[in-house]
Every structure is written in C-alpha cells, then in structure tokens.
Amino acid sequence: MFFAAVLLMALLAPQATVDTGNGVMTRTFAPPPGGVGRCGRNLPPGRYSIPVECTVNSVGRPTACTFPSGTPTREERYAAECMARAYRYTWEDGRPAEGIRFRFASGWNIQ
C-alpha cells in the first residue's frame, strides 16, 4: 500500500502530496541546471519512458537508483538518474523522507 502511494505520487504533477498512512509526504521538482532537456540530450529522437526506482537519502534526494525493466544503455541511465535527482521528498514537517523507496518513469519527447 505504501509503495503504491509513493508510485502514484511520482506519476502526479511536479509538486504533489500523498498521505502514506504514516504521515503526509510531499514531492517537489526543481529542474536541474540546464533544464530537463540536458538530462535527455544524448537520447536518440523519439518518445522515451525509462522506469527507475530510487531510495530517498538523508537530504530528501533520490539515490541508489536501479532499473526494474532491465539494463538501460549508458545514455538512458544518465537521463533517468539526472531527472530523478531533480525531485525532493519530504515529510509534512519538512524532514527528508529518508529511506523511502519509490518508482517512477522519467519521460521525454525529443524531436
């Protein structure tokens, strides 16, 4: 249930809150330096959705990311990890949601 709530949250708007049953968690998104286009700059043209699963570290940022759908190319891995690092997960009181594992699909539509 908790994992499903975090997954749902990851699919919502850049800032979202979800009641996990253990507290309200907020996810915020701040584009990385150079914008999100920088994250996918080496991907070939086309529509991409790269599933990634990460753990929230002690400052609320994703870390220890894995790829549940297999082994991505170097470019796909870079793009997904770059996008994941733009998120921050905190509890309602502002503490980082350290240790929470979440999954989302980072997506681009590169022309």
Side-chain angles (χ1 to χ4, degrees):
M1 174 69 179
F2 178 74
F3 185 77
V6 174
L7 175 60
L8 176 63
M9 187 171 153
L11 298 174
L12 298 174
Q15 180 168 347
T17 59
V18 65
D19 188 347
T20 66
N22 293 323
V24 175
M25 187 168 52
T26 301
R27 181 199 70 184
T28 55
F29 178 80
V36 294
R38 179 183 65 86
C39 293
R41 70 177 177 236
N42 293 324
L43 293 174
R47 187 178 178 88
Y48 286 88
S49 179
I50 304 166
V52 61
E53 189 173 307
C54 304
T55 301
V56 178
N57 67 14
S58 63
V59 295
R61 299 273 187 205
T63 189
C65 296
T66 59
F67 298 86
S69 64
T71 306
T73 66
R74 181 181 61 177
E75 291 81 8
E76 290 170 335
R77 182 178 186 90
Y78 172 82
E81 288 176 342
C82 177
M83 186 65 104
R85 285 190 302 271
Y87 288 96
R88 174 164 280 175
Y89 291 83
T90 56
W91 293 112
E92 188 174 26
D93 63 5
R95 291 178 299 120
E98 183 176 7
I100 299 300
R101 188 104 177 127
F102 68 95
R103 177 186 285 187
F104 75 100
S106 51
W108 298 265
N109 188 7
I110 302 170
Q111 303 299 324

